[in-house]
Amino acid sequence: MVKLSRMYLLVILFLFAAGNLFAATYFVSTAGSDSNDGLSWSTAFATVQKGINSANAAGSSEVWVAQGTYYPTAFLTDVTGLRSTDAYKSFLMYAGVNVYGGFAGNEATKEARQLLSADPWDYSYPSVLDGSTTGSHHVVWFCTNGFHTETMEGISAYFPNSLASQAILDGFTVTGGFANYPARIENLTDPKNNIVHYSGGGVALTGKGEVHNCKIENNKAKYSGAGITMQFDSKVLNSLIQNNEGVGANFYYAGIFGFGAFNYWRVDGAGLAARGDATYRPLIDNSVIHNNLGKANDNYPGTPTTTSNKFNQGGGVYLYYADVKNTKISSNNIVNNPSPYSGGSSASCGGGIYMYSRATLDNCEITDNGFVTSAQNGAGIFIGDYNKLATDYTQLYVKNCYIHTNRAGGAIAYDSKYQQIENTVVANNPGYGVYGYGNAQNGRTVNCLIFNNGGGWVQTSNTGNGNNWLINSTVTK
Protein backbone atom coordinates (compact mmCIF):
# COMPACT_ATOMS: atom_id res chain seq x y z
CA MET A 1 0.00 0.00 0.00
CA VAL A 2 2.90 2.35 0.84
CA LYS A 3 4.52 1.69 -2.55
CA LEU A 4 1.26 2.45 -4.33
CA SER A 5 0.87 5.69 -2.40
CA ARG A 6 4.41 6.76 -3.29
CA MET A 7 3.87 5.85 -6.93
CA TYR A 8 0.61 7.81 -6.95
CA LEU A 9 2.40 10.84 -5.47
CA LEU A 10 5.17 10.62 -8.08
CA VAL A 11 2.58 10.55 -10.88
CA ILE A 12 0.84 13.61 -9.45
CA LEU A 13 4.14 15.50 -9.14
CA PHE A 14 5.09 14.56 -12.70
CA LEU A 15 1.78 15.75 -14.09
CA PHE A 16 2.03 19.03 -12.16
CA ALA A 17 5.56 19.60 -13.46
CA ALA A 18 4.52 18.72 -16.99
CA GLY A 19 1.65 21.18 -16.82
CA ASN A 20 4.03 23.96 -15.78
CA LEU A 21 6.57 22.88 -18.37
CA PHE A 22 4.12 23.20 -21.23
CA ALA A 23 2.51 26.44 -19.95
CA ALA A 24 3.91 29.42 -21.82
CA THR A 25 4.14 33.18 -21.58
CA TYR A 26 3.18 35.12 -24.70
CA PHE A 27 4.41 38.64 -25.33
CA VAL A 28 2.66 41.57 -27.04
CA SER A 29 4.14 44.86 -28.19
CA THR A 30 3.07 47.67 -30.51
CA ALA A 31 6.32 46.98 -32.36
CA GLY A 32 5.49 43.28 -32.77
CA SER A 33 3.83 41.24 -35.51
CA ASP A 34 1.10 38.62 -35.32
CA SER A 35 3.22 36.50 -37.67
CA ASN A 36 5.79 36.11 -34.89
CA ASP A 37 5.71 33.23 -32.40
CA GLY A 38 5.05 35.62 -29.47
CA LEU A 39 7.40 33.73 -27.14
CA SER A 40 9.75 36.61 -26.31
CA TRP A 41 9.80 40.40 -26.34
CA SER A 42 11.87 40.33 -29.52
CA THR A 43 9.33 38.08 -31.26
CA ALA A 44 6.21 39.61 -29.72
CA PHE A 45 2.74 39.65 -31.24
CA ALA A 46 1.21 42.96 -32.28
CA THR A 47 -2.33 42.40 -30.96
CA VAL A 48 -3.45 41.49 -27.48
CA GLN A 49 -6.07 39.08 -28.80
CA LYS A 50 -3.44 37.08 -30.65
CA GLY A 51 -1.62 36.65 -27.37
CA ILE A 52 -4.81 35.67 -25.50
CA ASN A 53 -5.86 33.17 -28.17
CA SER A 54 -2.39 31.57 -28.19
CA ALA A 55 -2.37 31.31 -24.39
CA ASN A 56 -5.86 29.83 -24.43
CA ALA A 57 -4.81 27.20 -26.94
CA ALA A 58 -1.71 26.36 -24.86
CA GLY A 59 -3.72 26.17 -21.62
CA SER A 60 -3.04 27.91 -18.30
CA SER A 61 -0.70 30.45 -19.85
CA GLU A 62 0.02 34.15 -19.42
CA VAL A 63 0.12 37.16 -21.72
CA TRP A 64 2.48 40.10 -21.05
CA VAL A 65 1.64 43.35 -22.80
CA ALA A 66 4.11 46.21 -23.27
CA GLN A 67 3.25 49.88 -22.97
CA GLY A 68 1.12 51.41 -25.70
CA THR A 69 -2.48 51.67 -26.83
CA TYR A 70 -4.27 48.60 -28.19
CA TYR A 71 -7.66 48.30 -29.87
CA PRO A 72 -10.06 45.33 -29.84
CA THR A 73 -9.89 43.08 -32.89
CA ALA A 74 -12.13 40.11 -32.04
CA PHE A 75 -15.89 39.79 -32.37
CA LEU A 76 -17.63 38.49 -29.27
CA THR A 77 -20.16 35.67 -29.19
CA ASP A 78 -23.37 36.09 -27.24
CA VAL A 79 -26.61 34.10 -27.01
CA THR A 80 -27.47 35.07 -30.60
CA GLY A 81 -24.15 33.77 -31.96
CA LEU A 82 -20.96 35.33 -33.32
CA ARG A 83 -21.40 39.08 -33.87
CA SER A 84 -19.86 40.82 -36.86
CA THR A 85 -20.09 44.60 -36.40
CA ASP A 86 -17.57 46.90 -34.70
CA ALA A 87 -19.74 47.52 -31.62
CA TYR A 88 -19.15 43.84 -30.70
CA LYS A 89 -15.38 43.97 -30.95
CA SER A 90 -13.80 43.34 -27.55
CA PHE A 91 -10.76 41.89 -25.88
CA LEU A 92 -12.04 38.37 -25.17
CA MET A 93 -10.88 36.76 -21.92
CA TYR A 94 -10.84 32.98 -21.33
CA ALA A 95 -10.65 30.70 -18.31
CA GLY A 96 -7.09 29.90 -17.26
CA VAL A 97 -5.54 32.84 -19.13
CA ASN A 98 -4.08 35.75 -17.15
CA VAL A 99 -3.22 38.95 -19.01
CA TYR A 100 -0.74 41.48 -17.58
CA GLY A 101 0.03 45.02 -18.73
CA GLY A 102 2.35 47.80 -17.56
CA PHE A 103 5.59 46.45 -19.03
CA ALA A 104 8.28 48.61 -20.61
CA GLY A 105 8.96 45.70 -22.94
CA ASN A 106 12.19 44.21 -21.57
CA GLU A 107 11.22 42.72 -18.20
CA ALA A 108 11.96 39.14 -17.22
CA THR A 109 9.41 39.00 -14.38
CA LYS A 110 6.01 40.55 -13.62
CA GLU A 111 7.46 41.96 -10.42
CA ALA A 112 9.88 44.11 -12.45
CA ARG A 113 7.03 46.33 -13.64
CA GLN A 114 7.45 49.88 -12.33
CA LEU A 115 4.91 52.13 -10.62
CA LEU A 116 4.87 55.94 -10.74
CA SER A 117 3.35 56.21 -7.27
CA ALA A 118 2.07 54.15 -4.37
CA ASP A 119 -1.19 53.53 -6.22
CA PRO A 120 -1.17 49.93 -7.51
CA TRP A 121 -2.78 50.92 -10.86
CA ASP A 122 -0.33 53.78 -11.63
CA TYR A 123 2.18 52.15 -13.96
CA SER A 124 5.20 53.97 -15.37
CA TYR A 125 4.60 52.25 -18.72
CA PRO A 126 0.82 52.18 -19.19
CA SER A 127 -0.82 49.56 -21.36
CA VAL A 128 -4.14 50.94 -22.61
CA LEU A 129 -7.11 48.95 -23.95
CA ASP A 130 -9.22 51.44 -25.92
CA GLY A 131 -12.66 50.73 -27.36
CA SER A 132 -13.38 54.23 -28.65
CA THR A 133 -12.33 53.74 -32.27
CA THR A 134 -14.52 50.67 -32.71
CA GLY A 135 -17.44 52.01 -30.65
CA SER A 136 -17.29 48.82 -28.57
CA HIS A 137 -20.16 47.94 -26.25
CA HIS A 138 -17.54 46.32 -23.96
CA VAL A 139 -13.81 46.95 -24.13
CA VAL A 140 -13.07 43.74 -22.20
CA TRP A 141 -15.44 40.75 -22.35
CA PHE A 142 -15.07 37.92 -19.83
CA CYS A 143 -18.38 36.32 -20.87
CA THR A 144 -16.98 33.48 -22.98
CA ASN A 145 -18.59 30.43 -21.36
CA GLY A 146 -22.18 30.49 -22.54
CA PHE A 147 -25.39 31.94 -21.10
CA HIS A 148 -28.33 31.10 -18.85
CA THR A 149 -31.67 32.74 -18.07
CA GLU A 150 -32.41 34.87 -15.03
CA THR A 151 -35.32 37.11 -14.17
CA MET A 152 -34.67 40.84 -13.82
CA GLU A 153 -37.47 43.36 -13.29
CA GLY A 154 -39.97 40.68 -14.34
CA ILE A 155 -38.11 39.89 -17.56
CA SER A 156 -36.55 36.48 -18.15
CA ALA A 157 -33.33 37.39 -19.97
CA TYR A 158 -29.98 35.83 -20.87
CA PHE A 159 -26.97 36.43 -18.62
CA PRO A 160 -23.40 35.06 -18.88
CA ASN A 161 -22.32 31.87 -17.14
CA SER A 162 -19.31 31.92 -14.84
CA LEU A 163 -15.98 30.92 -16.29
CA ALA A 164 -14.77 27.40 -15.61
CA SER A 165 -11.66 28.71 -13.82
CA GLN A 166 -9.96 31.95 -12.88
CA ALA A 167 -8.96 34.57 -15.45
CA ILE A 168 -7.16 37.78 -14.42
CA LEU A 169 -6.74 41.13 -16.14
CA ASP A 170 -3.91 42.98 -14.37
CA GLY A 171 -2.16 46.30 -14.97
CA PHE A 172 -4.22 48.00 -17.69
CA THR A 173 -6.08 51.20 -18.37
CA VAL A 174 -9.48 50.33 -19.88
CA THR A 175 -11.26 53.16 -21.65
CA GLY A 176 -13.62 54.18 -24.43
CA GLY A 177 -16.40 51.58 -24.13
CA PHE A 178 -20.11 52.38 -24.47
CA ALA A 179 -22.68 49.67 -23.69
CA ASN A 180 -25.55 51.25 -25.59
CA TYR A 181 -27.60 48.54 -27.23
CA PRO A 182 -30.16 50.45 -29.33
CA ALA A 183 -33.47 49.24 -27.87
CA ARG A 184 -35.51 49.68 -24.74
CA ILE A 185 -35.59 46.95 -22.07
CA GLU A 186 -38.91 45.12 -22.26
CA ASN A 187 -40.34 41.61 -22.41
CA LEU A 188 -39.51 40.95 -26.06
CA THR A 189 -37.03 38.52 -27.59
CA ASP A 190 -34.53 41.10 -28.85
CA PRO A 191 -33.88 42.97 -25.58
CA LYS A 192 -33.94 39.70 -23.59
CA ASN A 193 -31.22 38.31 -25.86
CA ASN A 194 -29.17 41.50 -25.57
CA ILE A 195 -29.61 42.49 -21.93
CA VAL A 196 -25.84 42.18 -21.38
CA HIS A 197 -25.12 44.93 -23.91
CA TYR A 198 -26.71 47.69 -21.80
CA SER A 199 -24.05 47.34 -19.06
CA GLY A 200 -20.29 47.01 -18.64
CA GLY A 201 -18.90 49.54 -21.09
CA GLY A 202 -15.36 49.13 -19.75
CA VAL A 203 -15.38 45.55 -18.49
CA ALA A 204 -18.13 42.92 -18.60
CA LEU A 205 -17.00 40.65 -15.77
CA THR A 206 -18.55 37.31 -14.86
CA GLY A 207 -17.88 34.65 -12.24
CA LYS A 208 -14.21 33.69 -11.65
CA GLY A 209 -13.12 36.69 -13.69
CA GLU A 210 -10.89 39.17 -11.86
CA VAL A 211 -9.59 42.69 -12.45
CA HIS A 212 -6.41 43.62 -10.54
CA ASN A 213 -4.35 46.82 -10.47
CA CYS A 214 -6.31 48.43 -13.30
CA LYS A 215 -7.59 51.89 -14.11
CA ILE A 216 -11.12 51.81 -15.57
CA GLU A 217 -12.03 55.27 -16.82
CA ASN A 218 -14.09 57.26 -19.32
CA ASN A 219 -16.54 54.53 -20.26
CA LYS A 220 -20.32 54.75 -20.62
CA ALA A 221 -23.33 52.47 -20.36
CA LYS A 222 -27.04 52.85 -20.76
CA TYR A 223 -28.09 50.85 -17.73
CA SER A 224 -25.42 49.86 -15.20
CA GLY A 225 -21.73 49.51 -14.50
CA ALA A 226 -20.42 51.91 -17.12
CA GLY A 227 -16.95 51.15 -15.79
CA ILE A 228 -17.44 47.54 -14.71
CA THR A 229 -20.41 45.21 -14.39
CA MET A 230 -19.81 42.18 -12.14
CA GLN A 231 -21.56 38.84 -11.64
CA PHE A 232 -21.24 35.92 -9.23
CA ASP A 233 -17.82 35.45 -7.59
CA SER A 234 -15.95 37.95 -9.75
CA LYS A 235 -13.43 40.30 -8.11
CA VAL A 236 -12.10 43.82 -8.53
CA LEU A 237 -8.92 44.34 -6.50
CA ASN A 238 -6.54 47.30 -6.13
CA SER A 239 -8.18 49.24 -8.96
CA LEU A 240 -9.38 52.76 -9.80
CA ILE A 241 -12.83 53.19 -11.35
CA GLN A 242 -13.29 56.82 -12.32
CA ASN A 243 -15.02 59.25 -14.69
CA ASN A 244 -17.53 56.74 -16.03
CA GLU A 245 -21.12 57.67 -16.87
CA GLY A 246 -24.49 55.91 -16.92
CA VAL A 247 -26.83 57.62 -19.39
CA GLY A 248 -30.07 55.69 -18.81
CA ALA A 249 -31.83 52.62 -20.19
CA ASN A 250 -35.52 52.80 -21.03
CA PHE A 251 -37.58 50.20 -19.11
CA TYR A 252 -40.99 49.68 -20.69
CA TYR A 253 -44.14 47.65 -20.10
CA ALA A 254 -47.49 48.43 -21.72
CA GLY A 255 -49.41 46.72 -18.91
CA ILE A 256 -52.66 44.78 -19.21
CA PHE A 257 -55.22 47.23 -20.53
CA GLY A 258 -52.82 49.84 -19.17
CA PHE A 259 -52.73 48.46 -15.62
CA GLY A 260 -49.24 47.97 -14.23
CA ALA A 261 -47.69 49.90 -17.12
CA PHE A 262 -44.33 51.65 -16.74
CA ASN A 263 -42.06 53.70 -18.96
CA TYR A 264 -38.98 55.15 -17.29
CA TRP A 265 -35.22 55.66 -17.73
CA ARG A 266 -32.85 54.32 -15.08
CA VAL A 267 -29.19 53.93 -14.12
CA ASP A 268 -27.94 51.45 -11.48
CA GLY A 269 -24.31 51.94 -10.44
CA ALA A 270 -22.73 54.37 -12.88
CA GLY A 271 -19.18 53.43 -11.95
CA LEU A 272 -19.62 49.79 -11.00
CA ALA A 273 -22.60 47.44 -10.62
CA ALA A 274 -22.18 44.12 -8.79
CA ARG A 275 -24.87 41.44 -8.87
CA GLY A 276 -24.41 38.10 -7.14
CA ASP A 277 -26.67 35.48 -5.61
CA ALA A 278 -27.05 33.52 -2.38
CA THR A 279 -24.06 31.32 -3.24
CA TYR A 280 -21.63 33.50 -5.20
CA ARG A 281 -21.00 37.16 -4.36
CA PRO A 282 -18.81 39.70 -6.16
CA LEU A 283 -16.05 41.38 -4.15
CA ILE A 284 -14.52 44.85 -4.54
CA ASP A 285 -11.44 45.29 -2.33
CA ASN A 286 -8.76 47.94 -1.78
CA SER A 287 -9.97 50.13 -4.65
CA VAL A 288 -11.05 53.70 -5.36
CA ILE A 289 -14.37 54.54 -7.03
CA HIS A 290 -14.28 58.21 -7.93
CA ASN A 291 -16.18 60.86 -9.88
CA ASN A 292 -18.66 58.66 -11.70
CA LEU A 293 -22.02 60.05 -12.83
CA GLY A 294 -25.52 58.57 -13.00
CA LYS A 295 -27.61 60.75 -15.30
CA ALA A 296 -30.54 58.92 -16.86
CA ASN A 297 -31.52 60.82 -19.98
CA ASP A 298 -34.57 60.15 -22.15
CA ASN A 299 -33.04 62.18 -25.00
CA TYR A 300 -29.36 61.20 -24.93
CA PRO A 301 -27.09 62.76 -26.15
CA GLY A 302 -29.42 65.76 -26.24
CA THR A 303 -30.97 67.62 -23.33
CA PRO A 304 -33.36 65.44 -21.30
CA THR A 305 -37.05 66.30 -21.29
CA THR A 306 -38.70 67.78 -18.20
CA THR A 307 -40.78 64.63 -17.61
CA SER A 308 -40.05 63.20 -14.14
CA ASN A 309 -39.45 59.61 -15.25
CA LYS A 310 -35.65 59.42 -15.00
CA PHE A 311 -33.96 58.12 -11.86
CA ASN A 312 -30.54 56.96 -10.74
CA GLN A 313 -29.45 54.45 -8.08
CA GLY A 314 -25.80 54.62 -7.05
CA GLY A 315 -23.51 57.16 -8.68
CA GLY A 316 -20.43 55.17 -7.71
CA VAL A 317 -21.65 51.65 -6.93
CA TYR A 318 -24.78 49.47 -7.00
CA LEU A 319 -24.63 46.33 -4.85
CA TYR A 320 -26.94 43.32 -4.83
CA TYR A 321 -25.60 40.23 -3.03
CA ALA A 322 -22.16 41.86 -3.16
CA ASP A 323 -19.41 43.12 -0.84
CA VAL A 324 -17.03 46.09 -0.73
CA LYS A 325 -13.99 46.23 1.58
CA ASN A 326 -11.13 48.68 2.21
CA THR A 327 -12.31 50.99 -0.55
CA LYS A 328 -12.69 54.75 -0.96
CA ILE A 329 -15.88 55.93 -2.67
CA SER A 330 -15.61 59.63 -3.42
CA SER A 331 -17.01 62.50 -5.49
CA ASN A 332 -19.63 60.40 -7.29
CA ASN A 333 -22.85 62.04 -8.45
CA ILE A 334 -26.40 61.33 -9.51
CA VAL A 335 -29.13 63.55 -10.91
CA ASN A 336 -32.39 63.77 -8.97
CA ASN A 337 -35.85 62.90 -10.30
CA PRO A 338 -38.25 65.70 -9.37
CA SER A 339 -41.54 64.82 -7.71
CA PRO A 340 -44.25 63.97 -8.71
CA TYR A 341 -42.72 60.90 -10.33
CA SER A 342 -44.17 59.57 -13.56
CA GLY A 343 -43.90 56.44 -15.69
CA GLY A 344 -43.49 54.16 -12.66
CA SER A 345 -40.22 55.82 -11.65
CA SER A 346 -39.10 56.86 -8.17
CA ALA A 347 -36.63 59.14 -6.40
CA SER A 348 -32.92 59.04 -7.19
CA CYS A 349 -31.02 57.47 -4.29
CA GLY A 350 -27.41 56.88 -3.28
CA GLY A 351 -24.99 59.47 -4.62
CA GLY A 352 -22.09 57.22 -3.64
CA ILE A 353 -23.58 53.77 -3.10
CA TYR A 354 -26.92 51.99 -3.46
CA MET A 355 -27.15 48.80 -1.37
CA TYR A 356 -30.05 46.49 -2.17
CA SER A 357 -31.31 43.35 -0.40
CA ARG A 358 -27.92 41.77 0.49
CA ALA A 359 -24.76 43.88 0.61
CA THR A 360 -21.85 44.69 2.92
CA LEU A 361 -19.53 47.69 3.26
CA ASP A 362 -16.54 47.07 5.52
CA ASN A 363 -13.72 49.49 6.36
CA CYS A 364 -14.61 51.97 3.62
CA GLU A 365 -14.36 55.74 3.34
CA ILE A 366 -17.39 57.45 1.80
CA THR A 367 -16.87 61.15 1.07
CA ASP A 368 -17.97 64.05 -1.17
CA ASN A 369 -20.74 62.12 -2.91
CA GLY A 370 -24.15 63.57 -3.71
CA PHE A 371 -26.58 65.04 -6.18
CA VAL A 372 -25.87 67.25 -9.19
CA THR A 373 -29.06 69.22 -8.63
CA SER A 374 -31.35 69.28 -5.58
CA ALA A 375 -30.90 66.46 -3.09
CA GLN A 376 -33.02 63.37 -2.64
CA ASN A 377 -32.17 60.28 -0.56
CA GLY A 378 -28.71 59.29 0.64
CA ALA A 379 -25.90 61.50 -0.64
CA GLY A 380 -23.36 59.01 0.66
CA ILE A 381 -25.20 55.70 1.04
CA PHE A 382 -28.73 54.52 0.35
CA ILE A 383 -29.89 51.19 1.79
CA GLY A 384 -33.01 49.87 0.11
CA ASP A 385 -35.04 46.69 0.09
CA TYR A 386 -38.39 47.51 -1.48
CA ASN A 387 -39.25 43.83 -1.96
CA LYS A 388 -38.40 43.13 1.70
CA LEU A 389 -36.01 40.32 0.87
CA ALA A 390 -33.65 40.80 3.82
CA THR A 391 -34.44 38.67 6.88
CA ASP A 392 -31.55 39.54 9.21
CA TYR A 393 -29.85 42.72 10.42
CA THR A 394 -26.46 41.99 8.90
CA GLN A 395 -27.68 41.16 5.42
CA LEU A 396 -27.54 44.90 4.68
CA TYR A 397 -24.49 45.83 6.71
CA VAL A 398 -22.28 48.92 7.02
CA LYS A 399 -19.39 48.43 9.46
CA ASN A 400 -16.06 50.03 10.36
CA CYS A 401 -16.61 52.87 7.89
CA TYR A 402 -15.86 56.60 7.86
CA ILE A 403 -18.67 58.53 6.19
CA HIS A 404 -17.90 62.22 6.04
CA THR A 405 -18.26 65.45 4.12
CA ASN A 406 -20.84 64.19 1.67
CA ARG A 407 -23.30 66.69 0.25
CA ALA A 408 -26.96 67.42 0.96
CA GLY A 409 -29.38 64.49 1.11
CA GLY A 410 -28.29 62.62 4.23
CA ALA A 411 -25.03 60.74 4.76
CA ILE A 412 -26.91 57.43 5.13
CA ALA A 413 -30.58 57.04 4.24
CA TYR A 414 -32.41 53.75 4.53
CA ASP A 415 -35.80 52.35 3.60
CA SER A 416 -35.37 48.64 4.26
CA LYS A 417 -36.84 45.88 6.38
CA TYR A 418 -33.49 45.07 8.04
CA GLN A 419 -30.15 46.83 8.16
CA GLN A 420 -27.26 47.46 10.55
CA ILE A 421 -24.68 50.25 10.84
CA GLU A 422 -21.88 49.32 13.22
CA ASN A 423 -18.56 50.76 14.47
CA THR A 424 -18.90 53.62 12.01
CA VAL A 425 -18.13 57.35 12.17
CA VAL A 426 -20.62 59.66 10.43
CA ALA A 427 -19.36 63.25 10.51
CA ASN A 428 -19.44 66.66 8.87
CA ASN A 429 -22.27 65.98 6.47
CA PRO A 430 -24.69 68.87 5.76
CA GLY A 431 -27.76 66.61 5.84
CA TYR A 432 -28.85 64.05 8.42
CA GLY A 433 -26.20 61.66 9.66
CA VAL A 434 -28.48 58.59 9.62
CA TYR A 435 -32.03 58.87 8.31
CA GLY A 436 -34.71 56.16 8.33
CA TYR A 437 -37.94 56.76 6.46
CA GLY A 438 -40.72 55.12 4.46
CA ASN A 439 -40.93 51.47 5.50
CA ALA A 440 -37.66 51.33 7.45
CA GLN A 441 -37.93 48.63 10.09
CA ASN A 442 -35.65 46.59 12.33
CA GLY A 443 -32.69 48.88 11.77
CA ARG A 444 -29.85 48.97 14.27
CA THR A 445 -27.15 51.61 14.65
CA VAL A 446 -24.55 50.12 17.00
CA ASN A 447 -21.32 51.52 18.52
CA CYS A 448 -21.32 54.52 16.20
CA LEU A 449 -20.16 58.12 16.51
CA ILE A 450 -22.45 60.57 14.71
CA PHE A 451 -21.40 64.22 15.02
CA ASN A 452 -21.39 67.63 13.37
CA ASN A 453 -24.00 66.76 10.75
CA GLY A 454 -27.02 68.81 9.67
CA GLY A 455 -29.09 66.38 11.77
CA GLY A 456 -28.17 63.39 13.90
CA TRP A 457 -29.98 60.03 13.98
CA VAL A 458 -33.48 60.67 12.64
CA GLN A 459 -36.55 58.47 12.06
CA THR A 460 -39.76 59.58 10.39
CA SER A 461 -43.00 59.11 12.30
CA ASN A 462 -45.08 57.38 9.61
CA THR A 463 -46.70 54.04 10.50
CA GLY A 464 -44.48 51.98 8.15
CA ASN A 465 -41.32 53.12 9.92
CA GLY A 466 -40.59 51.43 13.24
CA ASN A 467 -38.56 49.17 15.52
CA ASN A 468 -35.31 50.99 14.67
CA TRP A 469 -32.67 51.10 17.40
CA LEU A 470 -29.78 53.37 18.39
CA ILE A 471 -27.48 51.21 20.55
CA ASN A 472 -24.38 52.25 22.49
CA SER A 473 -23.75 55.16 20.13
CA THR A 474 -22.97 58.84 20.54
CA VAL A 475 -24.93 61.45 18.61
CA THR A 476 -24.07 65.14 18.70
CA LYS A 477 -25.74 66.95 15.84
Side-chain angles (χ1 to χ4, degrees):
M1 182 63 70
V2 173
K3 290 183 179 179
L4 286 174
S5 298
R6 288 177 178 172
M7 180 63 72
Y8 181 74
L9 178 61
L10 287 171
V11 170
I12 294 297
L13 290 172
F14 173 79
L15 291 174
F16 178 79
N20 284 279
L21 179 66
F22 292 113
T25 298
Y26 292 90
F27 298 82
V28 179
S29 167
T30 55
S33 169
D34 280 357
S35 62
N36 290 337
D37 63 16
L39 294 175
S40 69
W41 287 120
S42 61
T43 61
F45 296 132
T47 64
V48 175
Q49 197 63 54
K50 177 68 173 179
I52 293 172
N53 291 349
S54 299
N56 187 43
S60 300
S61 296
E62 295 183 353
V63 182
W64 294 9
V65 181
Q67 64 179 320
T69 300
Y70 300 85
Y71 303 98
T73 56
F75 294 109
L76 64 82
T77 297
D78 59 20
V79 74
T80 68
L82 179 65
R83 297 293 191 137
S84 59
T85 58
D86 278 358
Y88 300 96
K89 281 184 177 177
S90 298
F91 296 95
L92 310 183
M93 297 288 292
Y94 296 100
V97 177
N98 299 331
V99 186
Y100 298 88
F103 293 91
N106 55 14
E107 293 88 346
T109 66
K110 296 190 291 290
E111 293 71 26
R113 293 177 294 174
Q114 297 179 20
L115 292 171
L116 282 173
S117 69
D119 293 327
W121 53 77
D122 191 18
Y123 285 89
S124 300
Y125 303 100
S127 302
V128 180
L129 306 181
D130 186 352
S132 62
T133 61
T134 48
S136 296
H137 287 330
H138 322 276
V139 182
V140 182
W141 176 257
F142 278 80
C143 311
T144 52
N145 192 37
F147 292 80
H148 65 279
T149 57
E150 291 183 31
T151 300
M152 185 190 77
E153 301 298 324
I155 299 170
S156 180
Y158 288 94
F159 290 86
N161 296 332
S162 293
L163 295 172
S165 60
Q166 183 187 55
I168 298 173
L169 185 78
D170 181 306
F172 288 91
T173 296
V174 179
T175 189
F178 191 2
N180 63 335
Y181 189 76
R184 60 194 181 189
I185 298 175
E186 58 184 317
N187 195 26
L188 296 176
T189 299
D190 182 62
K192 290 192 293 185
N193 286 346
N194 290 282
I195 196 78
V196 292
H197 303 311
Y198 298 84
S199 303
V203 182
L205 190 59
T206 193
K208 295 186 175 58
E210 301 188 14
V211 171
H212 299 184
N213 308 311
C214 284
K215 187 187 298 184
I216 314 297
E217 61 184 7
N218 300 317
N219 302 282
K220 294 183 179 181
K222 275 189 170 181
Y223 173 43
S224 67
I228 304 177
T229 185
M230 304 175 68
Q231 282 202 140
F232 305 128
D233 55 344
S234 54
K235 295 179 181 179
V236 172
L237 309 178
N238 311 317
S239 292
L240 172 65
I241 298 96
Q242 69 172 1
N243 303 335
N244 302 286
E245 182 179 356
V247 303
N250 181 197
F251 286 77
Y252 177 82
Y253 174 55
I256 300 174
F257 300 110
F259 293 102
F262 54 79
N263 184 18
Y264 58 77
W265 276 255
R266 172 174 150 191
V267 171
D268 288 354
L272 183 151
R275 183 174 183 267
D277 61 24
T279 305
Y280 300 105
R281 295 169 69 122
L283 172 66
I284 302 99
D285 193 3
N286 197 39
S287 295
V288 173
I289 301 171
H290 177 74
N291 196 41
N292 301 283
L293 173 63
K295 186 179 181 181
N297 183 348
D298 59 354
N299 190 38
Y300 184 85
T303 302
T305 70
T306 58
T307 306
S308 295
N309 63 344
K310 298 169 281 293
F311 67 110
N312 304 280
Q313 302 183 141
V317 190
Y318 181 97
L319 303 174
Y320 173 71
Y321 282 90
D323 306 303
V324 182
K325 299 167 56 178
N326 311 311
T327 289
K328 183 175 182 179
I329 299 169
S330 62
S331 304
N332 300 284
N333 296 280
I334 56 176
V335 175
N336 77 340
N337 186 30
S339 177
Y341 315 127
S342 64
S345 66
S346 63
S348 290
C349 300
I353 309 162
Y354 190 105
M355 303 171 65
Y356 179 64
S357 180
R358 304 283 196 282
T360 301
L361 291 180
D362 185 5
N363 195 38
C364 294
E365 181 182 4
I366 317 299
T367 184
D368 190 37
N369 303 284
F371 297 84
V372 174
T373 48
S374 58
Q376 288 187 299
N377 303 317
I381 301 171
F382 181 81
I383 304 172
D385 190 19
Y386 52 84
N387 285 328
K388 299 183 178 180
L389 299 176
T391 57
D392 184 79
Y393 295 102
T394 57
Q395 289 173 343
L396 284 164
Y397 199 13
V398 177
K399 60 181 179 178
N400 308 316
C401 290
Y402 181 30
I403 302 162
H404 68 97
T405 328
N406 294 283
R407 285 170 267 131
I412 306 175
Y414 67 88
D415 181 5
S416 54
K417 185 179 178 182
Y418 284 92
Q419 58 79 28
Q420 183 156 311
I421 304 162
E422 182 178 333
N423 298 333
T424 287
V425 176
V426 183
N428 303 318
N429 300 280
Y432 295 127
V434 177
Y435 175 55
Y437 75 101
N439 294 300
Q441 300 174 12
N442 307 310
R444 299 193 301 199
T445 303
V446 184
N447 300 331
C448 291
L449 175 60
I450 303 169
F451 72 94
N452 200 33
N453 302 288
W457 186 85
V458 178
Q459 301 293 321
T460 61
S461 59
N462 58 289
T463 56
N465 190 18
N467 199 35
N468 296 293
W469 298 89
L470 182 66
I471 302 170
N472 196 33
S473 296
T474 299
V475 180
T476 59
K477 179 180 175 183

